[in-house]
């Protein structure tokens, strides 16, 4: 079930994060990168695919240097509305700490995004304020959660 893992981890009486509806993708696919001051600072990189935000936690954040490939750990799908979320997740709640939108915009897949995700190689163009140009998310062989994010 879409977003089940996301909802199970959160108490929406306590956190101001959105509960989330599954919305079918509109014309422009959105992306967001959220700076998340949790136990360890990381950057959540999210691409809208199949009506949700596919999400990766990138400990060091995206690099503008094509030679620096950054570890990106797949996390649970988030609702599309999450792309607008900024705020403080309360202490004791999942992901407690401040969330700031670091960059956002639209993205263009080079091929069918659902298929690319399943195959573990997503080649795409970002139209953000900080992030532009061609990027790749590449899943490690025989792994589910560990991917690399890099600029071409
Ligand atoms: Mn996070």
């Amino acid at each position: 079930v879409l977003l089940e893992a996301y909802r199970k981890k959160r108490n929406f009486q306590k956190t101001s994060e959105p509960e989330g509806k599954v919305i079918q993708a509109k014309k422009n696919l959105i992306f967001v990168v959220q700076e998340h001051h949790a136990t360890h600072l990381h950057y959540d990189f999210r691409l809208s695919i199949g009506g949700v935000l596919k999400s990766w936690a990138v400990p060091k954040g995206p690099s503008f240097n094509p030679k620096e490939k950054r570890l990106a750990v797949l996390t649970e799908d988030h609702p599309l509305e999450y792309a607008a979320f900024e705020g403080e997740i309360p202490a004791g709640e999942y992901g407690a700490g401040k969330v700031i939108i670091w960059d956002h915009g639209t993205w263009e897949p080079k091929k069918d995004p659902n298929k690319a995700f399943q195959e573990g190689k997503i080649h795409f163009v970002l139209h953000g304020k900080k992030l532009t140009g061609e990027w790749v998310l590449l899943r490690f062989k025989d792994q589910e959660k560990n991917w690399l994010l890099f600029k071409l």
Side-chain angles (χ1 to χ4, degrees):
V1 182
L2 288 171
L3 299 179
E4 196 180 349
Y6 172 86
R7 290 188 184 121
K8 274 191 180 156
K9 289 174 188 242
R10 292 170 173 79
N11 180 346
F12 296 104
Q13 311 300 321
K14 292 186 177 166
T15 180
S16 57
E17 297 163 283
E19 201 159 341
K21 301 179 274 292
V22 178
I23 302 165
Q24 279 318 309
K26 306 193 183 95
K27 234 195 256 166
N28 290 320
L29 299 174
I30 57 163
F31 85 93
V32 67
V33 183
Q34 282 148 323
E35 185 180 318
H36 186 182
H37 295 260
T39 313
H40 298 281
L41 170 68
H42 61 274
Y43 294 79
D44 289 301
F45 187 91
R46 311 187 199 278
L47 296 175
S48 65
I49 296 178
V52 296
L53 291 173
K54 290 288 175 195
S55 297
W56 291 261
V58 184
K60 292 184 173 176
S63 174
F64 296 98
N65 179 355
K67 286 178 185 157
E68 287 180 2
K69 294 179 168 65
R70 292 286 164 83
L71 178 68
V73 181
L74 189 68
T75 59
E76 79 274 21
D77 296 343
H78 279 52
L80 289 185
E81 301 130 278
Y82 206 94
F85 177 75
E86 279 191 317
E88 184 84 32
I89 300 171
E93 295 305 300
Y94 179 70
K98 191 184 269 187
V99 175
I100 300 159
I101 295 173
W102 184 82
D103 196 18
H104 68 104
T106 61
W107 74 284
E108 284 174 60
K110 290 285 190 182
K111 57 190 276 192
D112 176 71
N114 284 295
K115 199 169 170 223
F117 178 80
Q118 292 305 326
E119 289 172 357
K121 187 182 181 183
I122 313 171
H123 178 192
F124 53 99
V125 179
L126 292 178
H127 303 286
K129 292 205 173 71
K130 293 179 178 141
L131 301 180
T132 57
E134 291 188 43
W135 294 75
V136 172
L137 269 163
L138 184 64
R139 192 172 59 210
F140 282 84
K141 203 170 180 289
D142 302 322
Q143 290 195 39
E144 189 192 338
K145 298 207 163 172
N146 293 330
W147 297 58
L148 288 172
L149 171 68
F150 54 95
K151 196 174 197 306
L152 285 185

